[in-house]
Amino acid sequence: GRVQSNGKYGFVNTAGKMAIEAKYDKASDFSDGLAAVSSENKWHYIDKTGTIKFSVEGTHAYDFSDGLARVQKSASAFVFYDKTGKVVLSPSYPVVMDFHDGLARFQQNKKWGFIDKTGKISIAAAKIFRCFLEHQRFRSLFARRNRGT
């Protein structure tokens, strides 16, 4: 897991021994086999050996979720990377959250909606309560479809 030592972050293995030196200014936990780390204001995704798999430009790099990592380019610009380091989506919304179950929540004109992994609006921006109910209904239908019912 992630540990902090002398103001820097590193990682220990399951035996509690230091696996990756504590040399990063910021670090996330591992997700999908990669962790976002920052050193000297540069963000990278590393594997469990500490090898940099790819670097990204932005103000913050987030965990992988549903196979994609969200990177904040500026106060109101986000992009999504796949595990190879390729930008796969650059939505044009001022706020975009991580993907879960194939959808990411976005904000537009103080309303929330959901986009799919192609950037297509799956659930149009609406009041948050209605949007939440639609997402829950979608998840329920999706789960039933996958179970064959």
Side-chain angles (χ1 to χ4, degrees):
R2 179 179 48 157
V3 295
Q4 187 175 19
S5 176
N6 296 322
K8 298 286 185 177
Y9 290 92
F11 298 87
V12 295
N13 61 22
T14 54
K17 298 194 182 219
M18 190 63 76
I20 299 171
E21 177 187 353
K23 62 181 179 178
Y24 300 105
D25 301 321
K26 298 176 185 174
S28 70
D29 291 322
F30 279 92
S31 60
D32 286 352
L34 299 174
V37 296
S38 174
S39 180
E40 299 176 8
N41 294 318
K42 294 180 184 172
W43 284 95
H44 314 281
Y45 283 90
I46 61 170
D47 65 15
K48 291 189 177 187
T49 68
T51 301
I52 294 175
K53 300 309 278 182
F54 61 93
S55 300
V56 298
E57 291 185 24
T59 60
H60 193 84
Y62 295 88
D63 292 345
F64 271 86
S65 177
D66 216 11
L68 298 176
R70 177 172 51 113
V71 174
Q72 188 167 3
K73 302 288 276 178
S74 66
S76 61
F78 297 86
V79 295
F80 288 88
Y81 286 83
D82 67 13
K83 288 177 66 174
T84 68
K86 178 182 172 191
V87 173
V88 294
L89 185 61
S90 299
S92 59
Y93 305 106
V95 178
V96 182
M97 306 309 285
D98 292 332
F99 277 90
H100 298 282
D101 300 323
L103 296 176
R105 191 165 45 113
F106 73 92
Q107 186 182 42
Q108 183 179 41
N109 300 324
K110 298 184 181 179
K111 296 179 181 178
W112 291 92
F114 290 87
I115 58 172
D116 66 18
K117 289 185 178 182
T118 68
K120 180 181 171 196
I121 293 177
S122 190
I123 300 172
K127 292 180 182 175
I128 186 67
F129 183 69
R130 179 175 157 233
C131 190
F132 174 77
L133 291 177
E134 290 292 328
H135 181 60
Q136 292 304 97
R137 193 178 94 216
F138 172 83
R139 288 180 68 179
S140 176
L141 290 171
F142 183 79
R144 280 199 303 264
R145 189 185 77 197
N146 283 343
R147 286 194 306 264
T149 58

